[in-house]
Amino acid sequence: MRECLELAPDAIEVDQASVVQRLGSSRTNCENGLFQESFTAAQGFLAATARPRCVVQTVDLATFAGLYDGEGSNDRDTPLEVILERSEALALFVLTLGQTITDTIRRLFSEHDYLVAALLDGMASLVAESLVESLETRFGRHIAECDGKSTTPAVLAYSPGYCGWHVSGQRALFSVLKPNEIGVSLGAGCMMRPLKSVSGVLVAGEPEIHDFDPGYSCCSGCDTLECRARIARVTGPVCAKREVAWICSDG
Ligand code: SF4
């Protein structure tokens, strides 16, 4: 399965409390008129300039294992290696909000409109993350339908540049997925262009496969422990599923 998807701009939602938290501000600092006015302005820029698109392609384990080794720069031991051994299905993905929103953020900063620029930047990152969650949900449902099962597997996304998977892995991932179809390419240091893009692999399986002790070599310098919140999303008592109405844009 390979599909290109896009999202109508009016399907993008952003929650003020999450943006405030992302910016590290306290809620009370954000109740004044200037903040509210800037938030509304940033929302307007988001709706006008974000153009979410993605490409998703299933891969078998052997193909992914070759791709994951990439240029041999991964950590000696990584959580994803262990997760892969117990996975049921895999899909590569690249998702982008497009170039215009990045240009707009840069322009707002250059015009010293710092609050609106920072709000738009935070909104864009949150939207990209939540859209990746929607791809996880969509892939889980796709597998359940293919297998004729009533329960969906737990799907989480893993990305080059995190948790021991070296960022140079982007090159192997891009060579298979070819996301130039949605306007994403690699620049210096394997940074994606446009900047507001996310790449990686969707890994499906029993919820437990995503759970592990964070004792890998990459974990010693980690101050986010982001994996804990992600694991809780699929193993917690209430597993909220992010759904958005992606539209198939193939051919
Ligand atoms: S502790 Fe940090 S580096 Fe280790 S798996 Fe979790 S998020 Fe990744």
Side-chain angles (χ1 to χ4, degrees):
M1 180 269 284
R2 175 185 170 90
E3 56 183 4
C4 291
L5 306 168
E6 62 185 32
L7 192 68
D10 61 6
I12 298 172
E13 289 177 3
V14 69
D15 165 52
Q16 188 176 103
S18 305
V19 177
V20 169
Q21 189 181 15
R22 167 62 64 107
L23 295 184
S25 296
S26 85
R27 189 111 187 95
T28 47
N29 285 344
C30 305
E31 285 167 358
N32 62 64
L34 174 64
F35 180 87
Q36 294 301 332
E37 206 177 289
S38 301
F39 191 88
T40 302
Q43 269 183 314
F45 282 120
L46 180 72
T49 62
R51 190 180 171 212
R53 301 175 74 194
C54 69
V55 55
V56 183
Q57 181 178 321
T58 49
V59 280
D60 59 44
L61 183 57
T63 302
F64 184 75
L67 181 160
Y68 185 63
D69 285 344
E71 298 169 14
S73 301
N74 293 346
D75 285 8
R76 232 178 330 106
D77 57 338
T78 69
L80 186 51
E81 280 169 7
V82 180
I83 293 165
L84 287 171
E85 286 169 10
R86 301 161 67 200
S87 65
E88 288 171 25
L90 307 170
L92 304 178
F93 74 93
V94 170
L95 177 148
T96 185
L97 298 190
Q99 185 61 45
T100 311
I101 192 164
T102 298
D103 294 342
T104 304
I105 293 166
R106 195 171 291 137
R107 178 177 62 75
L108 288 166
F109 274 117
S110 72
E111 291 172 354
H112 312 294
D113 203 347
Y114 298 119
L115 183 52
V116 177
L119 285 165
L120 182 58
D121 189 52
M123 283 178 187
S125 297
L126 283 168
V127 167
E129 287 167 19
S130 79
L131 292 181
V132 171
E133 288 181 31
S134 79
L135 293 183
E136 294 168 348
T137 305
R138 183 183 171 92
F139 186 48
R141 203 172 46 234
H142 168 78
I143 294 164
E145 282 168 8
C146 290
D147 294 348
K149 291 182 180 165
S150 58
T151 55
T152 57
V155 180
L156 283 179
Y158 298 84
S159 296
Y162 296 90
C163 307
W165 186 2
H166 196 266
V167 70
S168 62
Q170 297 271 45
R171 276 191 276 269
L173 192 154
F174 271 53
S175 71
V176 174
L177 193 55
K178 299 183 175 42
N180 51 316
E181 199 175 336
I182 57 163
V184 182
S185 59
L186 282 184
C190 292
M191 291 281 284
M192 282 182 283
R193 287 186 302 237
L195 267 184
K196 294 297 179 189
S197 302
V198 187
S199 68
V201 62
L202 302 170
V203 181
E206 293 295 323
E208 296 72 30
I209 72 165
H210 299 286
D211 199 359
F212 55 86
D213 291 326
Y216 292 88
S217 44
C218 54
C219 304
S220 58
C222 176
D223 53 10
T224 67
L225 291 176
E226 208 182 295
C227 57
R228 301 295 93 194
R230 285 158 40 80
I231 291 163
R233 275 203 283 118
V234 292
T235 59
V238 180
C239 301
K241 300 245 185 290
R242 185 90 55 177
E243 302 264 8
V244 298
W246 286 105
I247 301 160
C248 195
S249 60
D250 293 314

